[in-house]
Amino acid sequence: MQQNLLDLDLAGLTAWFAEMGEKPFRAKQVFRWVHKAGEPDFEAMSDLALSLRSKLVERATVASPEVMREELSADGTRKWLLNVGTGNAVETVFIPETDRGTLCVSTQAGCALDCAFCSTGKQGFNRNLSVAEIIGQLWWANREVGKNSEGNWPITNVVMMGMGEPLLNFDNTVTALRMMLDDHAYGLSRRRVTVSTSGIVPAMDRLRDECPVALAVSLHAPNDALRDQLVPINQKYPLRELMAACQRYLEKAPRDFITFEYIMLDGVNDTLKHARELIALTRDTPCKFNLIPFNPFPQAPYQRSPADSVRRFAETLIEAGIVTTTRKVRGDDIAAACGQLAGQVQDKTKRTALRIQEVRG
Ligand code: SF4
């Protein structure tokens, strides 16, 4: 079987090259061709000996997940539905802005955590994505969008906020993160790579020690009673433990604050009483809040908070000295906004698969 080079970080590629009797500097050359230059064709790697190129053609491949469907929003947001085999699909979203390009990456097919407001959770868990399937999203999206006029790749920021809980696919997520940060690959700043977690406390400590990047925590409720319902993993890692883990994370984090994500659900978690509880909860934790208007999906038991409620909620936090932003709803015409990433994926997958079969006859 051919080795997919997207599965190997530089250390792994060097070890694989050693098994073939090839020197470490050759591994570095190939790593740079694949990730820095975005080149999948070994024959085009012009500074490699012909004998090495032939060996690679025979034994290796560079394969990111197959794109089943692409959607382009009027605001420039692009969403790709990726086939990760056995009827599973995940989504990757590229969000262009004037000063940066952000890629939202998935780490699992489905998710086991079943947050009450999340369409992914309704699908259940299918499997962890491999390193190649995670880094392949960045590799492929860079090539697809293309370099800008200065010759730079378009993606400057990565957020692991797509389908799945990254810290429950810890090893593959961290290997992919290291590749994102590696100067011989994408060279992204730790401050511009964000892992979003629902609060897997022991894994937050491991991430801090093994590969600290910016951290976002899906908070969504100011007290255990409500968070137990909205984010059921809270029953295992309640708020007291979660806030302590956030403070430990900050000891080594590349940013001096945690971002708390807070989805605004009409009449559920969006009152001024909730805002005041949040202020008390986060008193000892340097943080920013990102308020996210809920994107209803079919059978969703919640409604989006009215704009006035969101504004008053934000003002209350800001008056207490907490930097608070409200996420712009982007790409909602293609269901690419947060919480919709996996919306109807399985249906779409089946429909797309059917169409592919029809096309192939
Ligand atoms: S919000 Fe995140 S952690 Fe919760 S079910 Fe959805 S994908 Fe999983």
Side-chain angles (χ1 to χ4, degrees):
M1 205 170 96
Q2 288 183 310
Q3 170 68 53
N4 187 353
L5 298 196
L6 292 183
D7 259 323
L8 301 175
D9 61 8
L10 184 52
L13 191 64
T14 305
W16 190 71
F17 264 53
E19 281 170 28
M20 289 198 301
E22 296 287 344
K23 298 216 161 44
F25 82 94
R26 291 288 179 210
K28 194 179 285 177
Q29 271 179 304
V30 171
F31 193 71
R32 290 176 66 94
W33 270 112
V34 171
H35 296 286
K36 231 179 166 48
E39 181 56 68
D41 180 1
F42 300 121
E43 300 285 12
M45 299 181 183
S46 50
D47 55 357
L48 301 185
L50 282 176
S51 58
L52 175 56
R53 286 189 233 172
S54 320
K55 230 187 245 183
L56 290 172
V57 168
E58 199 182 300
R59 301 184 195 180
T61 183
V62 178
S64 59
E66 172 203 5
V67 175
M68 303 172 75
R69 180 189 175 109
E70 173 175 4
E71 292 177 32
L72 178 63
S73 164
D75 65 15
T77 300
R78 293 171 74 169
K79 180 178 77 165
W80 299 285
L81 184 69
L82 307 177
N83 182 4
V84 290
T86 57
N88 293 315
V90 299
E91 294 187 0
T92 303
V93 181
F94 173 66
I95 304 154
E97 290 172 277
T98 39
D99 57 342
R100 63 185 163 181
T102 302
L103 192 72
C104 181
V105 166
S106 295
T107 52
Q108 297 182 310
C111 183
L113 296 188
D114 199 19
C115 298
F117 51 83
C118 174
S119 59
T120 298
K122 304 290 160 257
Q123 289 187 23
F125 175 68
N126 294 308
R127 69 171 176 83
N128 283 330
L129 298 191
S130 65
V131 174
E133 288 166 337
I134 300 171
I135 202 73
Q137 296 171 59
L138 174 58
W139 181 83
W140 189 86
N142 262 334
R143 281 168 44 91
E144 181 64 15
V145 178
K147 288 187 173 172
N148 62 21
S149 53
E150 282 139 33
N152 298 320
W153 288 121
I155 294 163
T156 57
N157 295 52
V158 171
V159 291
M160 289 191 162
M161 287 184 189
M163 191 188 281
E165 164 54 60
L167 297 186
L168 289 181
N169 183 11
F170 190 88
D171 291 344
N172 291 349
T173 292
V174 165
T175 301
L177 285 174
R178 289 196 176 122
M179 292 161 86
M180 291 173 192
L181 303 176
D182 192 327
D183 284 338
H184 295 297
Y186 304 91
L188 298 179
S189 149
R190 283 180 192 279
R191 298 160 56 86
R192 289 172 169 259
V193 176
T194 302
V195 166
S196 174
T197 180
S198 55
I200 313 294
V201 164
M204 289 166 66
D205 287 335
R206 272 188 76 191
L207 186 69
R208 175 196 71 155
D209 293 337
E210 296 182 27
C211 191
V213 292
L215 188 71
V217 172
S218 301
L219 196 56
H220 307 314
N223 59 63
D224 282 322
L226 184 54
R227 196 163 190 269
D228 281 352
Q229 290 171 34
L230 297 180
V231 187
I233 194 69
N234 192 71
Q235 294 163 27
K236 189 163 184 190
Y237 304 114
L239 283 169
R240 193 173 46 79
E241 290 181 31
L242 177 59
M243 300 314 288
C246 288
Q247 286 164 22
R248 289 194 297 275
Y249 195 87
L250 285 170
E251 291 163 11
K252 293 191 186 168
R255 287 184 178 269
D256 54 7
F257 61 89
I258 303 284
T259 302
F260 288 122
E261 309 281 343
Y262 197 94
I263 199 155
M264 297 294 289
L265 305 171
D266 187 19
V268 175
N269 65 352
D270 65 346
T271 67
L272 295 187
K273 178 173 168 290
H274 293 120
R276 285 191 284 268
E277 271 186 277
L278 277 182
I279 293 164
L281 177 73
T282 58
R283 197 175 36 224
D284 299 327
T285 310
C287 62
K288 287 186 178 175
F289 266 82
N290 188 16
L291 306 182
I292 306 167
F294 175 61
N295 290 293
F297 53 89
Q299 281 98 48
Y302 303 110
Q303 296 297 320
R304 181 184 293 184
S305 302
D308 264 0
S309 307
V310 178
R311 187 180 45 73
R312 277 197 300 270
F313 199 92
E315 281 169 4
T316 307
L317 296 180
I318 290 166
E319 278 163 21
I322 301 174
V323 174
T324 304
T325 53
T326 301
R327 185 176 293 176
K328 272 189 287 176
V329 178
R330 298 222 24 175
D332 60 345
D333 52 335
I334 57 169
C338 185
Q340 293 182 328
L341 278 176
Q344 299 163 316
V345 159
Q346 287 190 323
D347 283 355
K348 281 180 188 166
T349 304
K350 283 178 197 141
R351 283 204 298 274
T352 310
L354 281 176
R355 265 204 302 278
I356 290 171
Q357 279 168 9
E358 282 161 17
V359 170
R360 287 179 180 160

